[in-house]
Amino acid sequence: MLTSNGNVNRDASAMDTSKQLTANDVNYLKSQGYKIIGRYLTGSVGDGAAERNKYLTRTELHDIISAGISVVPIYQDGGGVLGYFSESQGIKDANLAGQAARALGIPSGATIYFAADLDVEDGNIDATIIPYIKAVANQLSGYEVGIYGTRNVCSRAYEAGAVTSAFVADMSTGFSGNLGFPMPKVWSFDQFVEFTLGGIPIDNLGVSGRDKGIKKINSSITAKQALRKVIGSADITLDGPKVTIVNSKVLTVVANATSHVNTASGSHVVEINNGHIDSVSLINVLKSMGLNISGTVMDVIISKVGLKLSGEIADGQLRINKVLDGGQNVEFELVITSLKNDVLDTEFGINFDVSFHTKELKGEIKETLAKALAVAGGVAVVGIALALVATFAPEFLPALGIAI
């Protein structure tokens, strides 16, 4: 009888494993002819005393790449039950996978495979897997999205426009999603047999050649070097004095950079993930601190600005520290924990003092906000400045191209 995994004795040049590989392991696998290794970005396997870490380390990644073997990143940190898969979980997983990939130095453009390692009947896919993987695709920045699962799950995810590649779980021969379904059009890897070799748990993979894995990793840079990359032309130095970076009759922005930061949580902290500011959280924080902006006005502002960080910043926090003078002065800190194209050795922060001068010449607003966009954290500065405009001078929003 034909099964989805085919001839399990065929040769394979690709594999995946949950084991954290030593340099000796890597050399042994190379001697066995493996050219591609799939590894997990996060998590652990096993229970109780048998539990062990499965996440890829930077040392391990360096050893694999140095041996001339490519790496395929996989994200699976849960998902054993159907109820796991939802839009909110997809956003969370995209953030965690992106953060882990950037910390390892996995370059932009690599495909990360998100696992649906269970049998999902066809009638349940639309309400679970599809919203999950679409949320991953919408949230993940800088990386291509792939999916691991049955033939049917992979095909359905591709047809929904959410993935560019498929990692097919053909080894699960009894899963309904592998019975009678053809291989996905965009399959990259075909998992067909598991065994142990040299003490290493291995899943052998067939390859289509669609995804060759990553063959290089991003370099590591210091916070001082990273600051130079993200601030543009602004004359700001790490742990240096405050510098005025925007100074007009309408808006004044003073900033300084510091290495003395710690990520925090609380009602005035807005997370930055995959280059995105959580706009809903920002709205709630500003309102809680006295900026009583109507939901309609703020929704238009958020839509107009986009609140998506451009340039080098990938992950961090936006901390609203103070709102003074009824909201005309706002102090906030942009904490940068990871970059899009380099591995940051330690986080750092940029402090901003933003003042909006409502009694001055308001005709300069548009030009001033354009200048603010050119500085590090400029989108955050403009977002807050527009919130101040909406609060104290909403009649000027149309002049900025914002209809309310």
Side-chain angles (χ1 to χ4, degrees):
M1 184 178 72
L2 295 177
T3 57
S4 61
N5 58 342
N7 177 13
V8 298
N9 295 314
R10 67 188 188 270
D11 291 336
S13 61
M15 55 158 284
D16 68 74
T17 182
S18 61
K19 186 179 188 296
Q20 292 182 317
L21 301 173
T22 66
N24 287 336
D25 290 335
V26 172
N27 290 330
Y28 175 71
L29 291 171
K30 182 178 181 180
S31 74
Q32 298 302 302
Y34 289 108
K35 298 178 180 179
I36 299 176
I37 297 177
R39 288 288 290 114
Y40 295 89
L41 292 174
T42 62
S44 61
V45 292
D47 297 306
E51 184 176 6
R52 57 181 174 81
N53 292 326
K54 68 175 183 180
Y55 59 83
L56 179 64
T57 69
R58 187 160 169 82
T59 297
E60 179 188 359
L61 179 58
H62 181 270
D63 288 342
I64 297 172
I65 297 294
S66 297
I69 300 174
S70 299
V71 175
V72 172
I74 305 164
Y75 181 84
Q76 182 181 13
D77 208 0
V81 295
L82 193 58
Y84 177 90
F85 296 95
S86 65
E87 180 180 0
S88 60
Q89 189 65 50
I91 294 171
K92 179 181 178 180
D93 286 356
N95 291 338
L96 292 172
Q99 290 165 8
R102 284 186 287 273
L104 287 165
I106 293 175
S108 297
T111 298
I112 300 175
Y113 293 88
F114 290 77
D117 194 9
L118 74 171
D119 190 17
V120 187
E121 294 183 357
D122 186 70
N124 292 327
I125 293 176
D126 282 339
T128 56
I129 304 300
I130 299 304
Y132 168 83
I133 201 65
K134 279 188 172 182
V136 169
N138 289 334
Q139 184 70 12
L140 189 65
S141 176
Y143 298 105
E144 296 295 318
V145 176
I147 190 166
Y148 169 94
T150 64
R151 293 182 177 198
N152 190 33
V153 161
C154 291
S155 293
R156 293 288 304 280
Y158 170 67
E159 291 164 3
V163 303
T164 57
S165 298
F167 192 133
V168 185
D170 265 336
M171 192 167 63
S172 302
T173 57
F175 280 8
S176 64
N178 284 330
L179 301 178
F181 292 97
M183 285 290 282
K185 293 179 180 179
V186 291
W187 79 272
S188 295
F189 303 103
D190 177 23
Q191 188 184 66
F192 63 87
V193 68
E194 62 179 337
F195 56 96
T196 299
L197 182 65
I200 304 169
I202 289 174
D203 298 330
N204 264 359
L205 310 175
V207 298
S208 69
R210 184 181 184 85
D211 184 357
K212 300 184 186 303
I214 64 167
K215 298 182 179 181
K216 63 179 182 178
I217 55 178
N218 292 333
S219 59
S220 178
I221 63 174
T222 66
K224 184 178 291 187
Q225 292 171 319
L227 176 63
R228 301 287 1 134
K229 295 191 72 169
V230 303
I231 63 172
S233 60
D235 188 22
I236 303 173
T237 57
L238 192 66
D239 298 319
K242 291 184 176 182
V243 176
T244 300
I245 54 177
V246 178
N247 188 17
S248 77
K249 295 179 180 179
V250 176
L251 186 71
T252 300
V253 181
V254 178
N256 71 297
T258 177
S259 60
H260 305 290
V261 297
N262 292 295
T263 52
S265 60
S267 59
H268 297 163
V269 174
V270 180
E271 297 296 328
I272 300 169
N273 293 299
N274 289 300
H276 296 267
I277 296 175
D278 184 343
S279 57
V280 174
S281 295
L282 179 57
I283 293 170
N284 292 335
V285 166
L286 291 175
K287 286 186 175 181
S288 73
M289 300 185 79
L291 296 184
N292 296 315
I293 306 164
S294 75
T296 301
V297 170
M298 183 56 90
D299 287 344
V300 172
I301 290 173
I302 296 300
S303 174
K304 190 71 176 180
V305 179
L307 287 183
K308 180 178 180 180
L309 292 174
S310 59
E312 298 290 334
I313 302 169
D315 302 299
Q317 292 182 334
L318 180 65
R319 305 180 191 171
I320 313 296
N321 297 324
K322 293 181 181 179
V323 174
L324 305 171
D325 301 325
Q328 296 189 57
N329 295 279
V330 179
E331 297 179 12
F332 69 94
E333 181 179 16
L334 180 65
V335 178
I336 301 166
T337 58
S338 75
L339 304 176
K340 293 181 179 178
N341 299 303
D342 297 281
V343 178
L344 183 59
D345 69 349
T346 184
E347 63 190 27
F348 65 97
I350 305 175
N351 297 300
F352 295 93
D353 296 346
V354 181
S355 298
F356 179 56
H357 315 302
T358 59
K359 295 181 180 180
E360 299 298 335
L361 185 62
K362 295 176 181 177
E364 295 185 4
I365 291 177
K366 194 169 186 177
E367 180 181 354
T368 298
L369 294 184
K371 290 179 180 178
L373 274 173
V375 306
V379 173
V381 171
V382 171
I384 290 174
L386 283 174
L388 299 178
V389 173
T391 301
F392 299 104
E395 68 273 17
F396 287 94
L397 289 175
L400 303 177
I402 299 176
I404 58 173

